[in-house]
Amino acid sequence: MPVTWHEATRELHLHNGQLSLVLGVLENGWLGQLHVGAPLDPASSYRHLGPSDFLGFSNRVDEPIGLVVPTPGSGDFRIPALVVEGPDGSTVLDLIYEGHRIIAGKPALDGLPSTYVEDAAEVTTVEIELGDRITGLRAFLTLTIYEDRPILARSIRLTNAGERPLIIRTAMSAALDLPDGPWELLAFSGAWARERHPHRARLLPGRRSLGSLRGATGHQQDPSLFLLRPGTDEVHGEGFALSLVYSGNFLAEAEVGPRGSTRARIGLHPDGFAWRLEPGATFTAPEAVLAWSDAGIEALSDAFHGLYRERLARGAWRNRPRPVLLNSWEGVYFDFDHERLVEMARATADLGAELFVLDDGWFGERDSDDSSLGDWVVDRRKLPGGLAPLAAEVEAMGLQFGLWIEPEMVSPRSRLFAEHPDWAIGVPGRPRTEMRQQLVLDLSRPEVVDHLEAAIADVLSSASIRYVKWDMNRNITEPYGGSLPPDRQGEFFHRYMLGTYELWRRLTTRFPEILFESCAGGGGRFDPGMLAYAPQAWTSDDTDAIERLSIQWGASHVYPLSSMAAHVSAVPNHQVGRVTPLATRAAVAFFGVFGYELDPRTLADAERAEIRAQIAFYREHRDVLQRGRFVRLRSPLGADDAAWMAVAPDRRTAIIAHVRILERPVPPPDRLRLRGLDPELIYRVAPWPGPDGEGVRRGGDLLMAVGLGLEPADPPTGAPRGDFTARIWVLTAG
Ligand code: DGJ
């Protein structure tokens, strides 16, 4: 049982041999955090790691005391985890430990996505009850430790057991006190078309905040935060990582206090948030996931990959091989009709792809992005017969048919807006900010969710649709819930997310066989919350191979290959104008859920042949490329080259990619040291493409300790030289 309660010392120890969390009830009744991180012997007491005789902060202000649910106003001046305003307007709380209970399995969170188990034995969950006598606030802290993962999941539920309303101002999902420093913060930040670039810097006294106030997690920051000891690299050193299972406004923050200790917190962004908790009501905060390792960043990524692939993603497509698709967007944008799509699909089938996706522009009268969102009826000018005959023709070619939707949006030029102008988010009496000439529907209103469920379900039942790309192309401005009273407007952003999750839940439940991919102008809502409904996401609108190196490298810190859609597009690239070889574009896109995003009718014969070979290669190695262990070898950030690999779970097959970003004259001898292989095995190292049977035999030990020669001679490939060139090797044991 990985939860031990020591009655004599009032300590609660969660342990699984891979990490420990030790909590202690302090003398004043508060719940202290005595230790988090390295696994400790559960039989021992760790009281000495916390304060003795702690009766509150009087006369000991600024002590680096570890607290599990820190609150403001009682002498702890660091960032709080919970701020609740009582009937008297004060936010001072005295949260006293009331007891705890062990729960079988892992309970789901009300209305929110979360990680889960298939067998109660996979985890142990403990629910700790804390209470504030004066307000009647009860806080139920739920901690789940996985048996075989270095992972703890945490969430908090707040109930008003008092007689008067309370206002929740901050409800962080997790807080973490790290007694000694220094720490470095690694975060994944960027912009549209440049998402999730890693940024690492030493924490200085004061706060470093990451977050979003956009109504979506956004392109700008990933909802995660890694704290690393200086010197921690991919395979050495200690690190913690927090990741939030949520898709809306969030805050991830670390603060170094006056004595050098660090507190981190992650959860709903408190700015603009205020939740009115009526007597008897309960509020549930999203789930935060904590990973710990002393074996480097790779182990933290491994932990997230396994958990998010196996116990966050769900449904029929969780374990299924994902089809190779061709998406119409960059090929023809809005400019298509039935005939053109049929020709594209025919050319797609000829390439060996498996799914043809019709992107934006098939509904209303949408010839550009200035109209029709909300009018989910087929544009008969373009598709006179509707979607059903198109899907049938596509299927007759041996392809599946997929469709793009953007349910949360409405164009001012649309029938829906004419009928329900009040359904678009906006503050009455104030102008609305338009972005991409569209507005966001108020999904905090149940009738909007009901309408969208019916409208989208009609579309999805109207034809044989096997895949859906659910887009979301703008953020929320003038936040205001049309059905919320003035004193509940602080609930709007979170209620928007609850409505959105409800819509996802209903549609994915009604259409369990459809493969859903989430998208928000690329990676603007690529987060663990969405992964609970859609097992894959469009990683970025940037399809340039060189830009994608950094984007996929960054995203891979938290997200598994099976969640990252990656496509080959035409050159010059539409986002950056760069011309890269077709082979390089594929070499990068292979590592994820692979596809194309171009007009297959315009390909030259040689390109067609090359693409056929690429698709055949991907299909042959799809298991490794979608579900293998991803190993980051050389970072592309600010570098002249980059490399990564995917290894099959049994370590008998691996695919390696090396990309030369900038070629240099007279290059020094260079060897790429691999990781994750079996040192006992002999591998055939075959460059791809290459004649069958080509390759040299090398030991796993040698490939990891000495490396794979990057000079053309070993193995003899006549490797390409020049900027933006790529090489792939397939390693097969035996
Ligand atoms: C943004 C997406 O990221 C693109 O792939 C495409 O679907 C467009 N929206 C369509 O409007």
Side-chain angles (χ1 to χ4, degrees), residues 39 88 106 118 126 144 169 181 202 218 244 253 321 325 327 335 491-492 496 500 548 556 606 640 669 702:
D88 58 2
K106 184 173 187 297
E118 291 193 330
V126 58
T144 297
R169 301 215 168 268
R202 176 131 170 201
L244 188 67
E253 192 169 42
L325 64 78
N327 177 298
D335 186 15
E491 301 174 16
F492 168 71
Y496 174 87
T500 303
R548 272 295 186 122
S556 78
D640 285 349
L702 178 97

Side-chain angles (χ1 to χ4, degrees), residues 192 327 329 334 359-360 366 369 404 406 436 469 471 473 519-522 538 540-541 597:
W192 172 79
N327 177 298
W329 181 240
F334 295 103
D359 207 279
D360 195 354
R366 190 155 161 96
D369 60 14
W404 177 98
E406 194 177 7
R436 210 192 189 214
K469 176 179 173 187
D471 206 346
N473 278 298
C519 172
W538 181 222
S540 175
D541 270 353
E597 180 124 356

Side-chain angles (χ1 to χ4, degrees), residues 134 229 252 308 485 600 727:
I134 291 186
R229 296 264 189 213
Y308 287 174
R727 295 168 75 179

Side-chain angles (χ1 to χ4, degrees), residues 603-665:
L603 295 167
D605 286 348
E607 289 174 317
R608 225 186 296 283
E610 194 174 343
I611 290 179
R612 263 189 222 116
Q614 290 170 350
I615 293 177
F617 173 82
Y618 185 81
R619 289 176 65 170
E620 182 185 348
H621 297 291
R622 171 163 36 201
D623 274 0
V624 182
L625 293 166
Q626 288 181 356
R627 305 187 65 81
R629 176 162 179 257
F630 188 64
V631 180
R632 292 178 293 266
L633 296 173
R634 285 191 188 179
S635 167
L637 279 297
D640 285 349
D641 70 341
W644 56 41
M645 60 192 281
V647 190
D650 65 3
R651 297 188 292 172
R652 298 189 66 81
T653 311
I655 318 276
I656 293 105
H658 176 260
V659 178
R660 170 79 50 212
I661 299 170
L662 263 192
E663 188 63 274
R664 301 282 182 193

